[in-house]
Amino acid sequence: MMIKVDEGAKQRLDEFLESKNHRKTPERYAILEAVYSMDRLFSIEELGEKLEKRKFRVSRATLFTTMRLFTELRLVVRHRFQTGTKYEPCYNRGNRCYQVCTVCGKALEIDAPHLSDAVEETKFKRFRKDGFVLYVYGICSSCKSRITRQSRMLANEKKVKTNRKTK
């Protein structure tokens, strides 16, 4: 199954490769296609698995160097979370906001037009803004529930120990 890569992204890659006299390898285009078919943040490992499912094998080194190239060309954004590095396609994709759990590291995209508008309206000195990604850090409901349960269990254990000592 062939996924249509944004023509602008493909054209940017073509122009760069031609200007630097680099080869237009099938690996680079297969990786670009796989990247633009991802519908969420992904790791290098997940990208490699996607390519393998398509019967297209590339080395980890090739994936890393190609993703570095795509990042430089602003075809991909690299996110560094406490759980590891994630990537996402960014050509013609607009600005994004994420909520990131500081306990489990889960990152979810959120719809926050008022935050996006505030950043868009901000004037920067001596700086040309291409786009932005905003991270809002906190604790997700799953982690908060788990922490609350653990706290209650510890409090109950302390009560039991104190009751045993006073008897």
Side-chain angles (χ1 to χ4, degrees):
M1 175 179 86
M2 293 292 285
I3 302 295
K4 184 87 168 126
V5 175
D6 184 294
E7 283 304 312
K10 186 176 181 296
Q11 182 179 353
R12 182 176 284 173
L13 179 59
D14 285 341
E15 289 170 359
F16 173 81
L17 296 174
E18 288 170 9
S19 73
K20 300 293 182 182
N21 290 321
H22 292 313
R23 293 182 318 134
K24 293 181 178 182
T25 63
E27 290 83 5
R28 287 181 175 138
Y29 290 96
I31 293 169
L32 185 67
E33 183 181 306
V35 163
Y36 276 80
S37 72
M38 301 294 247
D39 57 353
R40 59 180 171 74
L41 297 174
F42 60 90
S43 66
I44 288 285
E45 292 76 19
E46 292 167 325
L47 180 58
E49 290 168 9
K50 182 145 196 134
L51 288 162
E52 273 194 34
K53 284 180 186 174
R54 295 178 175 186
K55 308 289 189 236
F56 204 98
R57 298 202 66 169
V58 292
S59 70
R60 283 179 57 85
T62 299
L63 286 175
F64 276 107
T65 57
T66 303
M67 293 306 287
R68 189 175 305 121
L69 170 66
F70 289 176
T71 302
E72 288 173 23
L73 293 173
R74 294 188 320 267
L75 299 174
V76 170
V77 172
R78 178 178 56 209
H79 303 278
R80 292 186 180 132
F81 299 120
Q82 66 191 46
T83 55
T85 300
K86 299 283 186 173
Y87 298 88
E88 74 174 318
C90 66
Y91 190 84
N92 277 346
R93 295 272 172 118
N95 304 315
R96 287 156 316 283
C97 299
Y98 290 95
Q99 63 185 30
V100 182
C101 179
T102 56
V103 177
C104 69
K106 183 168 54 174
L108 294 173
E109 189 169 359
I110 58 173
D111 183 29
H114 53 290
L115 294 175
S116 294
D117 292 345
V119 175
E120 280 295 329
E121 292 169 10
T122 302
K123 302 292 183 222
F124 295 90
K125 293 182 181 178
R126 301 171 52 108
F127 183 78
R128 181 187 65 119
K129 177 181 62 187
D130 290 334
F132 70 88
V133 177
L134 175 68
Y135 303 105
V136 179
Y137 294 96
I139 300 176
C140 70
S141 58
S142 298
C143 289
K144 179 68 178 145
S145 296
R146 190 177 74 249
I147 290 168
T148 301
R149 279 192 309 272
Q150 289 171 342
S151 296
R152 286 182 185 150
M153 287 174 48
L154 287 173
N156 287 338
E157 287 175 13
K158 284 182 182 178
K159 280 183 186 178
V160 170
K161 285 181 182 177
T162 338
N163 289 341
R164 285 181 187 160
K165 286 182 182 178
T166 57
K167 288 184 180 182

